[in-house]
């Protein structure tokens, strides 16, 4: 599909036409190839806190899009055709954007849906992106050994499934001939990747609304920590507003910066926005997959019972490293500990897998940790978990070191690897390796501490009654607890 673009200089006219109020600010092209942004046109203090007001009817959320569908038959038919995908914010917004981009495309033979202010606004949005979903195969190879590599593979597979579902669901609709007709259809997977990128990079959690796209406010760039001088809110009328952050002042020509999420890790920043915050000292958080051993007799049931990605998140909190992963607890216990699965059949014939602990049904896998905490073997379960996690982290560190050597040696050419992309990949790898090394050091300290607890000592001595009491040491046998 041909995406038409308008210069950002025309945005003030669109804003005035659609009652977007700009108070002492302008949206303009920034210097040094930094794209566009929001810049102060006069000095402002807290008393001038409202910098922009965007009418509620321009905010794209799942609720407003379904409101539009009440008077737009094409939009309603498409939303209904895709089923549950159109019931969540991301699905509804992606479909709405595809309709508006189709309507604004000069190469479209048939219009879809009613005219809307977003039909023109999409012309101001970027068509080139630096997120990994747009990297070349050679550039994606730079991600080997990082937590972003499996996340990117999963994302691309999900995009393919969603696009196939969209086509299968809407191809029979007459209004979607502009997408799928063999002669006039023009919608491609590249178009779908673009609207996905628009959503990921511009969606905001608007107070009182939820995940939404807000025109003009979405032109604000990211600034973390003290650099953040503006934030978005919802006023009493349901309008989206950009306000000056508490205690902040801006001078003429100064850029207004919002935070895309100070708690977001390096991996998520690259994945969603295509850059890494320069203030990051480590990766802040990352997700690692973890497998259940093939000789685990409950492996199949454990995988079926857990309906999320099997793994755990490592993250920093107050300069300490922590982890979170319900799946790890599932991996670390078995039938002899009290874990049990049962398949029941409901009256309508559907089969359901139930999780039980010591004969009592629990509310799924997420409730397992609370059950383990009350057990006399809690320290033993924790030891198993920490050993499994530490071993997985060591494996990841080894992959980082191997792949870093290859990354450094890869030649840089515009045809193979863009310099900026290579730098992003190298930075991501370095930040993640730093976090992982800190994590394994702290987690091994916890392992040593747990080995010294009376509960673990009794357990180990009961397992090996002929041996001397086990002493804590640095070289821990992972097989005993993983």
């Amino acid at each position: 599909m041909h995406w038409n673009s308008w210069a950002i200089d025309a945005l003030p006219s669109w804003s005035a036409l659609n009652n977007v109020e700009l108070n002492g600010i302008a949206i303009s092209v920034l210097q040094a190839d930094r794209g566009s942004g929001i810049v102060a046109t006069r000095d402002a203090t807290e008393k001038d806190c409202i910098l922009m007001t965007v009418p509620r009817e321009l905010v794209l959320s799942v609720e407003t899009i379904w409101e539009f569908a009440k008077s737009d038959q094409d939009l309603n038919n498409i939303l209904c055709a895709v089923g549950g995908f159109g019931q969540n914010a991301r699905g509804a917004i992606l479909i709405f954007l595809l309709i508006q981009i189709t309507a604004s495309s000069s190469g479209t033979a048939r219009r879809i849906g009613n005219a809307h202010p977003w039909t023109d606004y999409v012309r101001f949005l970027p068509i080139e992106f630096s997120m990994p979903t747009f990297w070349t195969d050679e550039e994606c190879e730079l991600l080997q050994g990082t937590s972003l590599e499996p996340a990117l593979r999963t994302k691309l597979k999900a995009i393919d499934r969603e696009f196939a579902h969209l086509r299968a669901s809407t191809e029979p609709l007459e209004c979607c001939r502009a997408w799928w007709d063999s002669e006039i259809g023009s919608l491609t997977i590249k178009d779908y990747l673009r609207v996905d990128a628009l959503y990921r990079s511009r969606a905001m959690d608007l107070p009182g609304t939820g995940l939404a796209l807000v025109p003009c406010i979405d032109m604000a760039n990211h600034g973390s920590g003290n650099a953040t001088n503006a934030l978005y809110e919802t006023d009493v009328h349901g309008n989206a507003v950009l306000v000056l952050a508490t205690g902040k002042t801006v001078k003429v020509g100064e850029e207004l910066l919002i935070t895309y999420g100070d708690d977001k890790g390096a991996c998520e920043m690259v994945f969603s926005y295509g850059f890494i915050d320069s203030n990051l000292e480590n990766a802040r958080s990352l997700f690692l997959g973890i497998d259940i051993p093939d000789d685990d007799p409950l492996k199949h049931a454990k995988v079926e019972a857990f309906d999320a990605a099997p793994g755990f998140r490592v993250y920093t909190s107050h300069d300490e490293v922590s982890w979170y992963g319900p799946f790890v607890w599932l991996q670390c216990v078995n039938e002899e500990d009290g874990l049990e699965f049962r398949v029941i059949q409901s009256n309508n014939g559907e089969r359901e897998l139930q999780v039980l602990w010591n004969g009592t049904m629990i509310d799924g896998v997420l409730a397992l940790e609370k059950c383990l905490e009350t057990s006399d073997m809690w320290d033993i379960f924790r030891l198993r978990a920490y050993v499994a996690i530490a071993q997985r982290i060591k494996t990841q560190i080894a992959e980082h070191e191997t792949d870093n050597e290859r990354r450094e040696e890869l030649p840089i050419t515009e045809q193979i690897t863009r310099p900026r992309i290579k730098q992003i990949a190298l930075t991501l790898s370095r930040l993640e390796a730093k976090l992982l090394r800190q994590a394994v050091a702290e987690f091994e300290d916890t392992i040593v501490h747990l080995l010294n607890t009376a509960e673990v000592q009794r357990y180990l001595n009961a397992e090996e009654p002929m041996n001397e009491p086990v002493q804590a040491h640095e070289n821990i046998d992972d097989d005993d607890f993983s």
Side-chain angles (χ1 to χ4, degrees), residues 399-437:
E399 291 180 11
H400 267 279
E401 293 173 348
T402 300
D403 290 315
N404 255 346
E405 295 178 3
R406 187 184 55 79
R407 269 187 285 267
E408 292 286 0
E409 296 171 357
L410 192 68
I412 299 178
T413 67
E414 289 297 331
Q415 292 74 31
I416 299 177
T417 307
R418 290 164 288 181
R420 180 175 176 271
I421 299 301
K422 180 176 180 179
Q423 186 57 48
I424 289 173
L426 288 171
T427 302
L428 176 64
S429 179
R430 175 178 56 80
L431 293 175
E432 288 197 343
K434 183 178 179 181
L435 174 59
L436 291 172
R437 291 191 183 96

Side-chain angles (χ1 to χ4, degrees), residues 370-419:
K370 292 189 179 297
C371 295
L372 300 183
E373 287 177 354
T374 63
S375 169
D376 293 338
M377 294 181 61
W378 173 233
D379 281 348
I380 296 163
F381 297 146
R382 289 182 65 211
L383 181 57
R384 292 177 185 174
Y386 272 94
V387 169
I389 287 172
Q391 185 57 49
R392 177 64 183 88
I393 292 175
K394 289 177 182 178
T395 301
Q396 191 72 16
I397 290 173
E399 291 180 11
H400 267 279
E401 293 173 348
T402 300
D403 290 315
N404 255 346
E405 295 178 3
R406 187 184 55 79
R407 269 187 285 267
E408 292 286 0
E409 296 171 357
L410 192 68
I412 299 178
T413 67
E414 289 297 331
Q415 292 74 31
I416 299 177
T417 307
R418 290 164 288 181

Side-chain angles (χ1 to χ4, degrees), residues 29 205 209 235 257 351:
V29 176
D205 191 0
T209 299
D235 67 14
L257 300 172
R351 293 162 64 87

Side-chain angles (χ1 to χ4, degrees), residues 41 88 96 283 352:
T41 56
N88 63 71
F96 186 84
E352 179 185 350

Side-chain angles (χ1 to χ4, degrees), residues 2-18 20 22 27-29 34-37 58 97 100-101 104-105 116-129 194 198 201-202 213-221:
H2 178 73
W3 289 44
N4 284 332
S5 295
W6 284 351
I8 206 72
D9 295 344
L11 188 53
S13 298
W14 181 91
S15 301
L17 182 64
N18 292 285
V20 176
L22 305 180
I27 301 170
S28 58
V29 176
R34 293 172 52 230
S36 58
L58 295 181
L97 288 176
Q100 303 314 311
I101 291 165
S104 68
S105 173
H116 191 276
W118 272 85
T119 309
D120 288 332
Y121 185 73
V122 294
R123 303 172 195 261
F124 297 108
L125 300 179
I127 60 174
E128 300 294 334
F129 303 92
R194 281 176 170 172
L198 287 174
S201 60
R202 308 180 92 80
L213 260 58
V214 184
C216 296
I217 291 181
D218 67 356
M219 294 291 177
N221 289 314

Side-chain angles (χ1 to χ4, degrees), residues 180-290:
W180 313 120
D181 187 88
S182 58
E183 295 182 359
I184 65 172
S186 58
L187 184 63
T188 67
I189 188 68
K190 185 175 182 180
D191 297 313
Y192 194 77
L193 281 167
R194 281 176 170 172
V195 293
D196 169 75
L198 287 174
Y199 177 82
R200 277 191 286 140
S201 60
R202 308 180 92 80
M204 56 188 70
D205 191 0
L206 190 64
T209 299
L211 292 172
L213 260 58
V214 184
C216 296
I217 291 181
D218 67 356
M219 294 291 177
N221 289 314
H222 169 70
S224 63
N226 195 50
T228 304
N229 55 16
L231 52 90
Y232 48 84
E233 293 179 350
T234 304
D235 67 14
V236 294
H237 305 292
N239 304 316
V241 293
L242 183 70
V243 301
L244 203 60
T246 302
K248 295 292 183 178
T249 60
V250 292
K251 301 293 185 182
V252 174
E254 187 175 348
E255 186 178 3
L256 278 301
L257 300 172
I258 62 174
T259 176
Y260 293 176
D262 281 9
D263 58 342
K264 290 181 178 177
C267 177
E268 187 176 359
M269 292 295 290
V270 177
F271 181 81
S272 296
Y273 307 108
F275 69 89
I276 295 177
D277 192 322
S278 59
N279 292 326
L280 280 182
E281 296 182 356
N282 64 43
R284 192 174 284 156
S285 71
L286 58 87
F287 181 88
L288 294 179
I290 192 168

Side-chain angles (χ1 to χ4, degrees), residues 47-117:
K47 66 179 181 180
D48 310 302
C49 64
I50 299 181
L51 305 170
M52 184 191 306
T53 302
V54 180
R56 177 188 179 277
E57 57 269 21
L58 295 181
V59 175
L60 294 188
S61 67
V62 64
E63 289 81 10
T64 56
I65 289 173
W66 276 96
E67 284 183 20
F68 301 154
K70 293 177 181 178
S71 57
D72 187 332
Q73 191 62 51
D74 287 350
L75 174 60
N76 183 74
N77 289 342
I78 295 172
L79 288 172
C80 291
V82 298
F85 184 64
Q87 300 292 332
N88 63 71
R90 179 174 172 275
I93 291 173
L94 260 60
I95 287 169
F96 186 84
L97 288 176
L98 284 172
I99 292 174
Q100 303 314 311
I101 291 165
T102 304
S104 68
S105 173
S106 59
T108 302
R110 187 194 186 286
R111 189 186 190 96
I112 301 179
N114 298 340
H116 191 276

